[in-house]
Amino acid sequence: MTVLSLVACAQDPAHQGPYAPGLAKSGPTVDPLIVAHRLMDAGEYELAHTAYSRAAVTQGMSPDILAGLGSANLALGRLGTAERLLRRAIESEEATPETWNNLGVVLVEQGNFAEAEQFFRRAYALDNGESDAIRDNLRLALAKIENSDYTDAEEQGYKVIRRGSSDYLIRKIP
């Protein structure tokens, strides 16, 4: 009997009713962009997409948010939406090599190898040739252009692999 009376005393007197209390209005909040990046790292792409959308409401559609939304859509297989968002992200001078690379990956997935090769070249140049993933993607795009008469069986021999928070690599399936 005394345990129940102690539990009742521990409740917030301002909170009334059977439902959980709402958001705490006081105290620091975590930047939704940081949350979104962490969710992408954790492989929670749908939740990351929601967090990027939440960040866009408070911070506007910055190149970082556009690239994040595009990368989340790429991971979710929404190639058309990913392409539109990543194209908007690279219009900015702040666009990272990973954004250019991810747009190239989208284009490879859609079969646009020549255009993808141009984006991989730009990403490789912006990265000063330091990324093995971008170099490998560029090589694959060049190989696909040279061997444009591949069969459907060969086309299915590749898949997109996520490396890092927003970096994708195209690999041959063993």
Side-chain angles (χ1 to χ4, degrees):
M1 188 67 142
T2 57
V3 174
L4 292 176
S5 63
L6 292 176
V7 171
C9 292
Q11 288 185 352
D12 181 15
H15 174 66
Q16 302 283 329
Y19 302 106
L23 295 173
K25 304 255 191 257
S26 62
T29 60
V30 178
D31 181 9
L33 191 57
I34 293 172
V35 172
H37 290 321
R38 289 178 181 167
L39 287 167
M40 282 294 287
D41 289 339
E44 296 291 339
Y45 307 118
E46 195 68 51
L47 293 173
H49 186 275
T50 303
Y52 282 122
S53 298
R54 198 171 294 127
V57 169
T58 59
Q59 301 172 13
M61 291 298 273
S62 69
D64 196 23
I65 292 174
L66 286 168
L69 282 168
S71 298
N73 279 298
L74 171 60
L76 292 167
R78 302 172 188 158
L79 299 179
T81 304
E83 180 183 359
R84 282 192 307 277
L85 291 166
L86 291 169
R87 284 188 188 275
R88 284 182 56 195
I90 64 168
E91 290 174 359
S92 169
E93 292 178 10
E94 302 169 23
T96 64
E98 292 81 14
T99 305
W100 288 87
N101 177 66
N102 290 349
L103 182 54
V105 170
V106 169
L107 294 170
V108 165
E109 286 291 308
Q110 294 174 337
N112 299 331
F113 305 117
E115 189 177 9
E117 179 256 338
Q118 296 300 315
F119 288 109
F120 289 139
R121 282 189 190 278
R122 180 69 182 260
Y124 195 65
L126 288 172
D127 195 43
N128 294 324
E130 294 179 12
S131 173
D132 293 337
I134 295 173
R135 185 190 66 234
D136 292 344
N137 288 344
L138 176 58
R139 285 181 182 165
L140 175 67
L142 290 170
K144 287 290 194 176
I145 291 170
E146 290 174 8
N147 299 324
S148 62
D149 59 338
Y150 58 90
T151 64
D152 288 338
E154 290 175 328
E155 182 178 340
Q156 298 299 323
Y158 295 92
K159 69 177 183 175
V160 176
I161 298 173
R162 185 171 167 274
R163 293 180 53 167
S165 63
S166 62
D167 190 25
Y168 292 87
L169 178 66
I170 303 168
R171 287 276 185 205
K172 193 169 193 167
I173 298 173

